[in-house]
Amino acid sequence: MRVELSVVVPMFNEEAVLPLFVDRLRPVLDRIGATYEVVAVDDGSSDLTAATLQRFKRNWPQLRVLRLRTNSGHQAAISAGLVEARGDWMVTIDADLQDPPEVIAEMLEVGRRDRVDVIYGVRTDRSTDTAFKRGTAKLFYTTMRRISGVDAPVDAGDFRMMSRATVDAVNALPAHGRVIRLAVPTLGFPSASVGYRRDERAAGSSKYPLAKMLRLTADSITGFSQAPLRFATWFGLGGFVLAFAMLILAVIRKLEGDAVSGWPSTVVIVAGFAGLQLLCLGILGEYVGRIHMSLQGRPTYYIAYDSLNDELGGPPVGPDPAGESLPSNRPTTRPSAGL
Ligand code: UDP
Ligand code: MG
């Protein structure tokens, strides 16, 4: 069966919101006028997400369940879904109903009508997000636009529809530190956008703690910009000029016979430059770390189970139905899993 639309949904401990999500998503898709599949990517949930998905699957044949072995993160979960999804069009959407499923129909319409490759869901109203979330998000998008030159639509999260060609291009990119919301605009494919009002999370709590947000920011900056490296260079250069000026000043003072100058200024300068050097080393480390991770080529996720394999009768990717369990870290052999 040809699948015209795949809906990729990353889920991490979303048992609370899952029934609400299914209730709202299914009627939209059943009416959309395209053959579809929903690829629910269970990102190593420790609650009842997996069991709940299986329960829904019994009455919803288009629901496909993909389970990752461990919690691999939002971006890796989306990546896994995009590799496995079979649709001509693919849309990625959060499970918490902050992105309204009804917009998917509009996106598909725009995509077909305007013949574009990417349809961004752009939040026209974020008043339901906390002030902290809005502030940090604004800082993120404006900084990224400025330092990377990536023309990422401000306030476009990971709610977007993509053509098969776009997804193939994304899948071919290095998997490590992938930030899909920046990688897609970088491709520069023809695009359109659809505005929507971002709702409050329907149930459960955010799965994006500060640490994960910082990780995404570090990946975004180091993955798409060399500005920090240049910043280190400029600071180093500035420091050198300053030191040279001070040297001249010291010589002048010495000539004037005013040789005893206070040591606090010396200490401050030494400490200041030591700090700056460490900062620059840290920046360098971030980039070297990325190279290191990429060279190792470790998959960013491991697939434990794919319900499609049961249906097609293919070799099991996950726990063997015969009871023989696979080694716990068996990597997926799928194409994008490596670099
Ligand atoms: N998510 C995931 N893995 C993670 C964290 C989040 O798959 O490690 C999913 C989560 O289930 C949700 C989406 O990513 O569907 C966005 O997360 P969330 O709504 O918690 O983020 P927020 O809206 O608070 O930024
Ligand atoms: Mg959310």
Side-chain angles (χ1 to χ4, degrees):
M1 185 193 77
R2 181 161 158 238
V3 179
E4 289 168 284
L5 174 68
S6 294
V7 182
V8 173
V9 198
M11 295 176 188
F12 177 51
N13 291 343
E14 298 289 10
E15 64 175 7
V17 83
L18 203 50
L20 303 170
F21 179 68
V22 170
D23 268 359
R24 248 179 88 186
L25 181 67
R26 187 164 184 186
V28 173
L29 296 179
D30 284 342
R31 268 189 274 115
I32 209 162
T35 51
Y36 71 87
E37 65 174 354
V38 174
V39 182
V41 186
D42 171 9
D43 186 13
S45 300
S46 52
D47 66 354
L48 291 177
T49 300
T52 315
L53 279 171
Q54 287 300 347
R55 189 157 53 78
F56 280 118
K57 191 175 160 35
R58 267 184 250 140
N59 301 317
W60 195 11
Q62 287 97 329
L63 178 62
R64 179 174 163 196
V65 182
L66 201 70
R67 192 168 327 129
L68 306 188
R69 281 195 186 278
T70 54
N71 179 226
S72 313
H74 186 206
Q75 300 296 307
I78 295 180
S79 296
L82 291 180
V83 169
E84 302 303 326
R86 298 166 294 167
D88 300 333
W89 290 98
M90 298 185 215
V91 61
T92 49
I93 183 170
D94 287 353
D96 59 1
L97 288 175
Q98 288 199 282
D99 310 328
E102 294 76 21
V103 177
I104 297 176
E106 201 182 330
M107 287 175 163
L108 189 63
E109 204 183 299
V110 171
R112 283 174 166 169
R113 188 189 61 212
D114 298 351
R115 296 181 174 275
V116 287
D117 279 297
V118 187
I119 304 100
Y120 295 104
V122 178
R123 302 156 193 173
T124 48
D125 177 5
R126 296 187 67 132
S127 55
T128 52
D129 273 336
T130 60
F132 176 72
K133 189 98 199 174
R134 265 181 288 156
T136 47
K138 184 154 191 254
L139 190 71
F140 174 83
Y141 287 108
T142 42
T143 313
M144 281 316 297
R145 277 168 84 96
R146 185 156 306 159
I147 66 172
S148 68
V150 177
D151 198 14
V154 175
D155 274 342
D158 275 311
F159 185 27
R160 88 181 72 70
M161 188 173 284
M162 292 170 276
S163 64
R164 166 55 55 191
T166 312
V167 172
D168 286 346
V170 171
N171 288 346
L173 295 171
H176 275 281
R178 190 186 280 179
V179 182
I180 300 169
R181 69 184 68 170
L182 295 176
V184 174
T186 314
L187 296 172
F189 289 4
S191 67
S193 53
V194 169
Y196 73 96
R197 188 171 168 278
R198 188 150 166 91
D199 292 325
E200 241 165 289
R201 184 176 245 285
S205 56
S206 173
K207 308 299 177 303
Y208 247 99
L210 189 64
K212 278 186 182 168
M213 269 162 67
L214 290 178
R215 186 70 254 155
L216 188 73
T217 308
D219 280 343
S220 303
I221 294 174
T222 51
F224 292 86
S225 169
Q226 292 181 354
L229 287 176
R230 254 171 263 138
F231 155 90
T233 314
W234 286 116
F235 253 103
L237 221 63
F240 179 75
V241 171
L242 199 72
F244 192 69
M246 292 228 228
L247 183 74
I248 293 174
L249 202 74
V251 171
I252 294 172
R253 283 246 176 136
K254 173 96 182 150
L255 292 178
E256 284 173 349
D258 185 16
V260 190
S261 51
W263 65 269
S265 54
T266 319
V267 171
V268 166
I269 291 164
V270 170
F273 278 103
L276 212 61
Q277 276 172 356
L278 283 178
L279 176 74
C280 295
L281 262 181
I283 293 173
L284 219 70
E286 279 290 325
Y287 284 86
V288 175
R290 277 181 75 88
I291 301 171
H292 175 66
M293 290 302 286
S294 285
L295 282 180
Q296 286 179 328
R298 269 194 245 141
T300 51
Y301 60 83
Y302 294 88
I303 291 179
Y305 167 79
D306 181 355
S307 65
L308 189 69
N309 276 301
D310 292 351
E311 284 159 34
L312 301 181
V317 178
D320 192 336
E324 199 182 293
S325 65
L326 296 160
S328 63
N329 267 344
R330 177 175 171 263
T332 159
T333 50
R334 287 155 209 258
S336 89
L339 239 185

